[in-house]
Amino acid sequence: MRTGTNGVILHGAGRTAQPWAARTLGGAALALALAVSGGAAQAAGACAGIAPGEDRPVPDLAYAAPEPGVPASAHSLDLWPGATPLPAPLVVFVHGGTWMHGGKYAGTPQQARAFRSAGYAYATVNYRLLRHGPPQAAARDIAEAVAFLRREARGCGIDPDRILLMGHSAGAHLAALVALDESYLAAAGVPPEAIRAAVLLDAYGLDIARHVRETGDPVYARVFGPDPAGWGGMSPVSHAAPGRRPPPMILHVVAGNPETPGQAEALAGALRAAGGEVEVHVAEGESHNSLNYGFGAPGDAATRLTLDFLSTRLR
C-alpha cells in the first residue's frame, strides 16, 4: 500500500465559486431565474460545450436557489461528465471539515480522473457549513444536489438511477446519512433506489451518542446540539435498520485512529443486520487526510478496493 504522511495535508480554500448563472445574470434576476427553474441549469444544459471524454469539469454549477445570508457558493458543485456518450454511473463526493470548514476542492481532479477512467461521471459538492445552518441543512443540500444532477443527467452523460455517494470525514457522515435516512432524498424528489452504493473515507459521526459517551468531545455538542435526544436521528447507524435494504457500502478507516474504526464496525454491523452488503477496509500507513487526497493515485489501495467493490454492484 502507498505510504501516507502522518502530517496534516493543507490545501488552500480554492477559488471563489461563481455559479453558472452569475456569469450572465445578476442580483434579483439570478434569484428569479433559479426560483423559476427550481435550481436547474440554463436551457442549453449544464454540460453544454463539454465534449464526451474532455478532461475538464463544468465548474461552479448552482444546484439550488440562493438563500438570504448564505453565499451562493454554498449551493454549488463541480461536475465531470461521463467520458463517453453512454450514460455513466455518477459519484457525488461530499467534503469533510468537521461540518464547519472545507469545500468542494477536496474532491480532487485526481479522484475525478480515477473514476472517469473506470467509467463513472464525478461531481464534488459544496453545502451549508455550520455557520449557515445545522448539519440537517447540509444533508438537505446534498440531496438537492443529487436531484439537480439527476435533472441534468441526459445532457451530461449520467445515468440518473445509478448514483453513488462518497464522502470523507464529516462528509462521509453526511453521505451515509443521506443514503440511509430516506427523508432527505424524499424531500428533494429523489427515489431512494437511485442511490446504488456509498463510499466512506475515515468517517466521523456515524454514532454520535457513542462518540460523546466515550470521549466527551465538545465539538459534537456544538455541531449537533447539547440534547442527546437529537443525536440518534443524525447518526447513520440509527437508520441502518430492517425495513429497507440499505445500499452497499465500503468503509475505509485509518489504522490507529482512535474513533473511526470502531464506528465503522458499528455501522457495518447494523448494515449487515439490516440485510445490507458492507466491507470495512483498515488502511495501514495512512493519515486521516492522506486517505482522501491520495485517492486516485496510481497504486492506491483504497482506490483499487473501491472500484472492485463497485464494479460488481453497478452492472
Side-chain angles (χ1 to χ4, degrees):
M1 174 180 288
R2 173 177 50 83
T3 300
T5 176
N6 290 324
V8 175
I9 299 176
L10 299 177
H11 286 250
R15 62 183 180 281
T16 301
Q18 297 176 341
W20 59 267
R23 293 191 284 267
T24 55
L25 299 173
L30 168 58
L32 177 61
L34 283 168
V36 171
S37 67
Q42 65 270 49
C47 296
I50 301 288
E54 194 169 349
D55 187 23
R56 65 185 177 97
V58 187
D60 304 322
L61 290 167
Y63 63 79
E67 296 188 10
V70 179
S73 60
H75 294 132
S76 69
L77 60 85
D78 296 346
L79 170 63
W80 279 259
T84 74
L86 297 175
L90 170 67
V91 176
V92 179
F93 178 82
V94 185
H95 71 81
T98 61
W99 303 274
M100 304 178 203
H101 313 289
K104 58 186 170 64
Y105 58 85
T108 64
Q110 178 174 268
Q111 286 185 12
R113 290 174 182 133
F115 279 112
R116 293 185 85 226
S117 66
Y120 298 84
Y122 179 90
T124 178
V125 179
N126 276 346
Y127 52 85
R128 278 173 285 183
L129 301 175
L130 190 64
R131 60 184 174 272
H132 296 122
Q136 293 90 333
R140 290 194 295 269
D141 291 345
I142 294 158
E144 287 291 346
V146 171
F148 167 84
L149 290 162
R150 293 184 82 244
R151 291 194 297 268
E152 294 296 325
R154 170 174 280 188
C156 293
I158 294 169
D159 184 337
D161 295 319
R162 290 192 296 165
I163 294 176
L164 301 84
L165 294 177
M166 176 177 172
H168 171 240
S169 192
H173 159 265
L174 293 170
L177 185 66
V178 173
L180 293 171
D181 181 350
E182 296 179 6
S183 66
Y184 295 103
L185 295 172
V190 177
E193 296 79 13
I195 305 302
R196 299 289 294 275
V199 180
L200 310 184
L201 303 179
D202 219 30
Y204 282 79
L206 299 179
D207 187 341
I208 296 164
R210 169 180 169 165
H211 175 76
V212 175
R213 182 174 64 250
E214 293 180 351
T215 69
D217 188 347
V219 171
Y220 276 47
R222 177 183 175 189
V223 173
F224 298 105
D227 186 359
W231 296 345
M234 291 302 293
S235 298
V237 71
S238 300
H239 299 283
R244 183 182 80 88
R245 188 177 180 88
M249 293 192 182
I250 182 167
L251 287 66
H252 301 278
V253 295
V254 171
N257 188 319
E259 178 183 351
T260 57
Q263 292 213 27
E265 289 294 347
L267 179 60
L271 291 169
R272 294 186 185 109
E277 300 177 76
V278 60
E279 291 184 10
V280 177
H281 164 233
V282 179
E284 301 285 348
E286 296 280 8
S287 72
H288 180 65
N289 282 343
S290 74
L291 188 61
N292 179 67
Y293 288 109
F295 196 98
D300 178 66
T303 306
R304 175 180 54 80
L305 291 168
T306 296
L307 293 176
D308 288 348
F309 179 85
L310 296 177
S311 66
T312 61
R313 292 160 177 85
L314 292 173
R315 291 172 182 165

